[in-house]
């Protein structure tokens, strides 16, 4: 059986990761129409539906999840092979410095582990990491690239959406037991709703769950790490993204009492000065980060 064009798999992986055709078109430097055509052609060639519309987002079907897992793995394998070849021939005078700014927050643990992989695979780039609590405080005299959480920056900066975050409730397993165990939506009224914003994200989720008319006790923290730690310790229920909380979910410190997820009010972005785009080390890091998230 002949394979569909390999480029169509890259387009599919990009849309699957970002959940949005326009965002994928921006990343791939093509039009939204071109992305749509590639997706239609791939689905027609394979004879299965890979993505379906859910609100403003595109979400994977069961078949799409299977294909995305293998395509993403193949892209990482190719990238790793290229890095091995490049590292085998790199000379000390060819090593380029690159300074990355990231928020000093618990929510970036998913990124920290990936950065060590980047360092191992790209010996021709010397990565330095600094931290700032918000995008507005990034020192662009030092930083070449920044990973930020919030909204896209203004003029003078290039940005890429890293992945479309969808928020879902997470809590300690102990909240699924006892007299006040969370078994259905109404049980949330017995527990604190933890958040780091003004409660807008919880209001969006409760509205989608059709239980926003109830009264809920909530606790505000100005640090997302404290929100998740409170959830881990059993003091309430938080909203988080599967990627951000992957380690806690895998290790059983957190569980997801409900499957409903809603788009986040903010997202993670990779940002750099317009003038920095085109530098090989900057472009390589951006491409690597986009394919690893």
């Amino acid at each position: 059986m002949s394979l569909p064009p390999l480029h169509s798999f890259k387009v599919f992986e990009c849309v699957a990761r970002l959940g949005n055709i326009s965002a994928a078109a921006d990343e791939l430097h093509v039009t939204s129409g071109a992305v749509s055509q590639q997706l239609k052609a791939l689905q027609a060639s394979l004879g299965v539906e890979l993505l379906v519309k859910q609100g403003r987002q595109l979400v994977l079907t069961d078949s799409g999840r299977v294909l995305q897992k293998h395509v993403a793995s193949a892209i990482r394998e190719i990238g790793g092979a290229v890095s091995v070849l490049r590292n085998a021939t790199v000379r000390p005078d060819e090593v380029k410095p690159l300074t990355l700014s990231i928020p000093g927050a618990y929510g970036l643990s998913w990124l920290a582990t990936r950065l060590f992989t980047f360092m191992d695979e790209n010996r021709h780039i010397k990565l330095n990491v600094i931290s700032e609590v918000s995008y507005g405080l990034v020192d662009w005299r030092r930083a070449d690239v920044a990973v930020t959480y919030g909204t896209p920056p203004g003029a003078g900066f290039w940005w890429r959406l890293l992945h479309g975050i969808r928020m879902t409730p997470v809590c300690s397993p102990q909240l699924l037991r006892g007299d006040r165990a969370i078994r259905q939506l109404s049980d949330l009224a017995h527990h604190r709703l933890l958040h780091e914003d003004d409660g807008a994200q919880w209001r969006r989720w409760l509205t989608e769950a059709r239980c926003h008319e109830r009264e809920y006790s909530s606790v505000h923290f100005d640090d997302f790490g404290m929100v998740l730690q409170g959830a881990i310790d059993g003091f309430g229920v938080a909203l988080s993204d599967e990627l951000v909380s992957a380690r806690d979910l895998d290790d059983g410190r957190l569980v997801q009492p409900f499957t409903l997820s809603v788009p986040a009010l903010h997202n993670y972005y990779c940002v750099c000065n317009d003038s920095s785009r085109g530098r090989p080390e900057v472009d390589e890091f951006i491409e690597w980060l986009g394919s690893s998230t």
Side-chain angles (χ1 to χ4, degrees):
M1 180 182 69
S2 61
L3 287 174
L6 293 181
H7 180 66
S8 64
F9 289 105
K10 180 174 177 59
V11 171
F12 162 72
E13 187 279 331
C14 188
V15 175
R17 172 165 41 85
L18 299 175
N20 183 277
I21 286 180
S22 295
D26 289 339
E27 179 171 319
L28 297 169
H29 308 294
V30 297
T31 65
S32 296
V35 172
S36 296
Q37 287 299 322
Q38 289 277 358
L39 285 179
K40 290 178 181 177
L42 179 61
Q43 292 182 129
S45 176
L46 297 176
V48 294
E49 193 172 37
L50 302 172
L51 294 145
V52 293
K53 192 82 169 176
Q54 189 175 94
R56 295 184 177 181
Q57 294 286 111
L58 285 171
V59 298
L60 292 164
T61 63
D62 290 341
S63 297
R65 277 189 287 273
V66 172
L67 183 62
Q68 189 275 338
K69 178 180 178 180
H70 289 284
V71 170
S73 177
I75 290 175
R76 286 193 295 270
E77 287 287 329
I78 293 171
V82 171
S83 296
V84 168
L85 293 176
R86 181 178 289 133
N87 290 336
T89 58
V90 66
R91 300 193 310 268
D93 62 329
E94 294 177 325
V95 176
K96 301 292 185 181
L98 180 71
T99 299
L100 169 69
S101 177
I102 63 174
Y106 180 95
L108 261 293
S109 61
W110 61 268
L111 174 59
T113 55
R114 286 167 169 79
L115 292 181
F116 288 104
T117 301
F118 176 82
M119 295 176 194
D120 289 339
E121 294 179 350
N122 297 273
R123 301 296 175 86
H124 63 295
I125 297 176
K126 178 175 174 53
L127 184 65
N128 303 300
V129 181
I130 59 177
S131 64
E132 283 297 351
V133 295
S134 68
Y135 166 72
L137 296 176
V138 173
D139 184 355
W140 290 106
R141 294 169 298 180
R142 300 171 61 198
D144 301 301
V145 186
V147 171
T148 66
Y149 180 74
T151 56
F157 291 92
W158 177 94
W159 58 270
R160 171 181 290 178
L161 176 67
L162 289 181
H163 67 107
I165 299 175
R166 296 188 65 84
M167 307 294 278
T168 191
V170 294
C171 65
S172 166
Q174 70 189 61
L175 297 193
L176 304 186
R177 302 187 292 268
D179 295 338
R180 294 188 174 184
I182 300 175
R183 296 189 179 90
Q184 54 192 9
L185 291 170
S186 59
D187 295 327
L188 284 175
H190 303 307
H191 301 276
R192 303 180 187 91
L193 305 185
L194 311 177
H195 56 90
E196 87 287 358
D197 62 0
D198 62 358
Q201 188 68 68
W202 262 115
R203 289 193 293 274
R204 170 181 282 194
W205 190 91
L206 292 169
T207 298
E208 289 293 323
R210 298 183 179 180
C211 54
H212 58 287
E213 295 179 356
R214 292 176 175 270
E215 291 293 327
Y216 297 92
S217 172
S218 66
V219 180
H220 170 265
F221 297 94
D222 63 2
D223 180 81
F224 187 60
M226 295 180 68
V227 171
L228 285 186
Q229 191 59 52
I232 290 170
D233 292 338
F235 293 117
V237 185
L239 286 175
S240 185
D241 171 52
E242 284 188 351
L243 179 61
V244 172
S245 296
R247 183 176 296 179
D248 292 322
L249 290 167
D250 289 343
D251 293 342
R253 289 185 292 269
L254 288 173
V255 294
Q256 295 171 308
F258 306 109
T259 58
L260 174 65
S261 65
V262 300
L265 296 175
H266 302 292
N267 284 287
Y268 284 107
Y269 296 89
C270 182
V271 183
C272 71
N273 281 306
D274 283 339
S275 58
S276 296
R277 284 289 284 162
R279 285 171 49 190
E281 64 273 20
V282 171
D283 289 352
E284 285 181 40
F285 178 78
I286 290 171
E287 290 302 320
W288 174 86
L289 186 59
S291 65
S292 67
T293 55

